[in-house]
């Protein structure tokens, strides 16, 4: 075992190290602040591992390109930010529909439009859920530290390979750009997931037939299975169909993949919640401000805790519901004008009073602002 | 140790972000908790730019400097922009060869002609950031000099070790006065 | 169907969705004929398309096939080919798909000279959506969105491909099917970006609006207006004016993208000398 040393590491850098450790060997991207470091580091590291990096002509092409590569059996990832993520939506929908594994890193910046390229934000929470047209399954993970950037990238790659659902990794400018002391695990400590491949003979292969796992086996292009991939509604054979029954069956299986594995997919942390009468729900960089505020408020004797979802889609509903039962108040600070707030309000409203603390000006929510909100709620 | 917040400010190109990273890496070598952030984009290339480092024995949550305990200011514009934001009784290190007429009654002001020293004593303008680091550690003892030296050597291009160590020692000497 | 070509089709997916008189079937037959004459591994042959009439062709073809989003076939194909350069990759695209919504991907795939074999089915119209004008609808011609005749200037897509860096560029037609098959074969033999423009006909959406009474009239038009590039060299300019060239228009080898990337890996991969 190699010596594990503490190092100062940037969030975006940790994300690339997580991707490489998880087995990502293909990256396509386009330069955009504040995610560019991920592309730069990938361009340097992938060839050393026999992997491929390509800078595509635009964001749309980057998303398409990784899906093509994924079809040959490679683990793939792309990274971007607001304007780029908007452009990728078309092919994120294609990935959801055709069940091609892929990870999309979104280092969130202030939007809409060009907005604030170097300003942090959490404004893409609903875009992650509903950015592409039509109902579709999606998983979104949200790190709040450099260490979590590494860990959750590994998880994102594992999730997309296992469930064949596009996985977003939602960083923000703060988490992506800050450097923090971290100790990373050795590669051999990581549990990696490989996608399920067919074992049947090519002529028996039905690319979208599933057992109770709901997850079909995926043959690599070029291995003789000669299957068809289309973004049209398709049956078990993969070929398009105009039948409403076929559409309904496919749609329900796609959505049920998330429902069925929700317990495995949902990750969260409960911090000082045991006796909490007041609960903060915060994610990403805002969770850090929340923790600082809790430290200061606890010193004043206020019983306050933090529910920090690491998975934001699907949202870890049941554990939050449980905590809300003991809390009188739930406060949701987020760097947008209320996005995850509505999901949390839906879950908690019959149990506790839910209020939001919103900020969308490119500045972090400070511990002081959270403290002020807490005191306002308590008065 | 309470958490100590550093803001290193100046102009793009003075190597302040590198200085921030080196200070952070030295703190890691000393087994302290540390977070480093910086200004990005055009701001980092011209105008007033800054790098921030928070060092603590305990876990650091909020990643940005709220009010710095220590401010380094290496340009007139940065002095104007950041010079009045300092904790009561904090320390401001002023590059007196770059900033003139600086006042802040709240803080202890230490003036060192950093850029001039780089040019005249070392013969290279670009080591001004390293002299500043030496001075910061001389003044605050925030990290051990051994760790700082190691962190500098890890970051600089090979072949430039000698002048960088010379610069670091010069800064330490001025800072310890 | 020609019995020896049957194995290249998913026969149970036929008949195809194309209209009576459509030229797409002829072009697709030329493509599989070319494949049958080439020494390539059919298990490692991938056919990728975008959206539109022609882009439905891969669904009928017995290979690994990928029916992507509108205009994006080349971007997907770039990922497939770069991730596994052993594969022979065909891209089937239409005039709207490749030159309008996919125009950016088209020039950049050509610029990289990545080894993709692009068969552009040019029917001068958006057929799948019912006959709107495309960047290859000739100026003055009629469509449902150019009811007074198109004001837009049309591309010569072969010239665009050459300018963008394609190393093999050729044109054939549904009428000149043997020539087309030959061009496709040569395109595959070229290690780099190959564009074969295949002039096809859409009698329903394009022909009816532009004075072609029958599909046969459209084939006749192809016959009468195409001049083989070799023959053209001996003709005076007035004999060529208003006509179009067919055959091999450009063949200039250049370093191929995935091979160059593999060289880079060989140089920098850990453990490499």
């Amino acid at each position: 075992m190699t010596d594990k040393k503490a190092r100062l590491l940037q969030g975006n850098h940790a994300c690339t190290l997580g991707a490489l450790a998880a087995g990502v060997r293909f990256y396509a991207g386009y330069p955009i602040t504040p995610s560019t470091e991920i592309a730069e580091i990938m361009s340097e590291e992938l060839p050393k591992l026999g992997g491929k990096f390509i800078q595509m002509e635009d964001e749309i092409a980057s998303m398409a390109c990784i899906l093509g590569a994924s079809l040959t059996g490679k683990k793939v990832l792309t990274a971007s930010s607001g304007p780029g993520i908007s452009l990728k939506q078309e092919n994120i929908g294609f990935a959801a529909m055709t069940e091609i594994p892929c990870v999309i890193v979104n280092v969130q910046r202030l939007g809409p439009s060009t907005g604030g390229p170097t300003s942090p934000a959490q404004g893409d929470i609903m875009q992650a859920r509903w950015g592409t047209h039509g109902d579709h399954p999606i998983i979104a993970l949200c790190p709040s530290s450099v260490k979590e950037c590494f860990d959750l990238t590994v998880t994102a790659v594992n999730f997309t390979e296992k469930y064949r659902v596009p996985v977003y990794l939602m960083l923000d400018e703060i988490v992506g750009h800050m450097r923090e002391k971290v100790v990373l695990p050795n590669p051999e400590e990581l549990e990696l997931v490989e996608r399920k491949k067919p074992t049947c003979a090519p002529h028996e292969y039905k690319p979208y037939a599933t057992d109770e796992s709901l997850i079909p086996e995926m043959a690599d292009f070029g291995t003789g299975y000669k299957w068809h991939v289309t973004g049209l509604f398709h049956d078990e054979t993969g070929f398009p169909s105009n039948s409403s029954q076929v559409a309904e069956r496919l749609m329900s299986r796609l959505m049920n993949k998330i429902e069925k594995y929700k317990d495995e997919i949902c990750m969260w942390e409960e911090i000082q919640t045991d006796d909490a009468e007041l609960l903060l729900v915060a994610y990403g960089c805002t969770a850090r401000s929340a923790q600082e505020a809790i430290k200061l408020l606890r010193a004043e004797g206020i019983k306050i805790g933090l529910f920090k979802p690491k998975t934001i889609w699907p949202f870890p509903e049941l554990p939050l519901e449980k905590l809300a039962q003991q809390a009188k108040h739930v406060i949701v600070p987020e760097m947008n004008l209320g996005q995850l707030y509505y999901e949390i309000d839906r879950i908690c409203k019959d149990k506790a009073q839910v209020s939001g603390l919103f900020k969308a000006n490119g500045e972090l929510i400070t511990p002081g602002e959270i403290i002020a909100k807490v005191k306002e709620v308590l008065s | 140790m309470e958490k100590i917040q550093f803001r290193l400010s100046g102009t793009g190109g003075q190597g302040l972000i590198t200085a921030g990273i080196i200070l952070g890496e030295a703190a890691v070598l000393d087994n302290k908790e540390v977070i480093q952030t910086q200004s990005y984009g055009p701001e980092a290339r011209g105008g007033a730019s800054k790098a921030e480092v928070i060092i603590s024995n305990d876990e650091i949550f909020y990643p940005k400097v709220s009010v710095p305990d220590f401010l380094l200011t290496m340009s007139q514009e940065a002095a104007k922009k950041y010079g009045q934001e300092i904790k009561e009784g904090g320390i401001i290190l002023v590059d007196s060869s770059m900033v003139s007429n600086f006042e802040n009654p709240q803080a202890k002001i230490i003036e060192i002609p950093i850029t001039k020293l780089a040019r005249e004593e070392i013969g290279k303008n670009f080591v001004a950031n390293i002299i500043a680091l030496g001075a910061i550690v001389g003044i605050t003892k925030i990290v051990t000099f051994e760790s700082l030296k190691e962190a500098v050597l890890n970051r600089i291009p090979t072949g430039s070790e000698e002048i960088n160590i010379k610069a670091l020692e010069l800064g330490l000497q001025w800072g310890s006065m | 169907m020609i019995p020896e070509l049957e194995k290249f089709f998913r026969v149970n997916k036929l008949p195809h969705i194309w209209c009576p008189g459509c030229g797409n079937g002829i072009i697709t037959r030329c493509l599989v004929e070319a494949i049958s004459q080439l020494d390539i591994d059919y298990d490692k042959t991938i056919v990728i398309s975008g959206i539109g009439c022609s882009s439905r062709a891969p669904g009928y073809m017995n290979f690994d096939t990928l029916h992507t989003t509108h205009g994006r076939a080349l971007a997907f194909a770039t990922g497939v080919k770069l991730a596994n350069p052993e594969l022979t990759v065909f891209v089937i695209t239409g005039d709207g798909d490749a030159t309008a919504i996919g125009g950016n991907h088209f020039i950049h795939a050509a610029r990289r000279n990545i080894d993709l074999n692009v068969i552009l089915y040019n029917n001068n119209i958006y057929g799948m959506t019912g006959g709107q004008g495309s960047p290859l609808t000739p100026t003055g011609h009629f469509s449902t969105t150019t009811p007074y005749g198109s004001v837009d200037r049309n591309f010569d897509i072969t010239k665009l491909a050459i300018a963008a860096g394609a190393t093999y560029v050729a044109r054939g037609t549904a009428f000149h099917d043997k020539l087309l098959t030959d061009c496709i074969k040569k395109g595959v033999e070229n290690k780099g970006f190959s564009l074969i423009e295949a002039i096809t006909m859409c009698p329903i959406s394009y022909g009816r609006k532009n004075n072609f009474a029958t599909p046969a009239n459209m084939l006749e038009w192809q016959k009468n207006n195409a001049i083989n590039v070799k023959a053209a060299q001996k003709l005076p300019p007035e004999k060529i004016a208003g006509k179009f060239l067919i055959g091999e228009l450009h063949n200039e080898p250049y370093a191929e993208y995935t091979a160059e990337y593999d060289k880079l890996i060989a140089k920098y991969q850990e453990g490499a000398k």
Side-chain angles (χ1 to χ4, degrees), chain B residues 14 74 95 97-98 112-132 163 166-168 170-171 174:
Chain B
Q14 285 182 315
M74 285 185 62
D95 181 348
S97 50
M98 300 298 285
I112 298 177
I114 297 168
T115 304
K116 193 171 164 214
L117 288 173
R119 191 170 53 239
E120 290 176 6
E121 302 284 319
I122 312 290
K124 302 276 180 200
N125 262 345
F126 64 78
V127 295
N129 62 340
I130 303 296
I131 296 178
I163 58 161
K166 205 173 147 197
L168 200 62
L170 182 67
W174 276 78

Side-chain angles (χ1 to χ4, degrees), chain A residues 203-218:
Chain A
H203 71 273
E204 290 169 346
Y205 181 50
K206 283 188 184 161
Y208 291 97
T210 62
D211 53 17
E212 66 281 0
S213 76
L214 304 183
I215 302 155
E217 294 167 341
M218 186 168 168

Side-chain angles (χ1 to χ4, degrees), chain A residues 26 47-58 60-61 64-65 67-69 71-72 74 90-91 94 220-232 237 239, chain C residues 10 13 42-44 46 56 58-59 62-70 72 75-76 78-80 82-85 87 104-105 108 112 257 261-262 264-265 268-270:
Chain A
F26 194 98
K48 295 184 196 166
L49 299 167
K52 308 281 172 76
F53 166 91
I54 186 168
Q55 183 170 321
M56 291 301 283
E57 53 274 16
D58 59 37
I60 300 169
C65 191
L67 298 182
L71 279 165
T72 72
K74 298 281 188 293
E90 171 193 58
N91 290 322
F94 187 84
D220 294 349
F221 265 21
T223 57
Y225 281 85
K226 295 183 178 157
W227 59 297
H228 186 59
V229 181
T230 177
L232 289 164
T237 66
F239 289 96
Chain C
R10 291 162 170 150
K13 298 294 161 197
Y42 306 139
D43 283 352
K44 293 189 187 304
I46 318 293
R56 286 303 189 92
N62 194 21
F63 302 95
D64 281 320
T65 51
L66 173 58
H67 178 216
T68 72
T69 42
H70 197 17
R72 318 300 174 209
F76 279 83
T78 298
V80 169
L82 180 58
N84 186 356
L87 305 175
N104 199 29
H105 313 308
H108 287 276
R112 291 184 191 101
Y257 188 83
Y261 203 99
D262 281 345
L264 187 141
I265 290 177
Y268 293 102
Q269 192 165 14
E270 274 152 20

Side-chain angles (χ1 to χ4, degrees), chain A residues 272-273 275-279 294 297-298 300-305 327 378:
Chain A
Q272 294 188 275
T273 53
D275 61 345
E277 292 168 0
L278 214 143
L279 191 65
I294 288 168
L297 288 163
R298 281 271 169 183
E300 289 181 31
I302 295 170
K303 290 177 177 168
I304 182 165
L378 289 177

Side-chain angles (χ1 to χ4, degrees), chain A residues 10 177 179 181 288 291, chain B residues 35-36 38 40 60-61:
Chain A
Q10 194 183 45
H177 272 167
R179 290 183 178 83
K181 188 178 96 173
R288 306 182 69 105
Q291 271 183 277
Chain B
I35 286 190
Q36 183 270 335
Q38 68 209 46
Y40 267 89
I60 303 160
F61 299 119

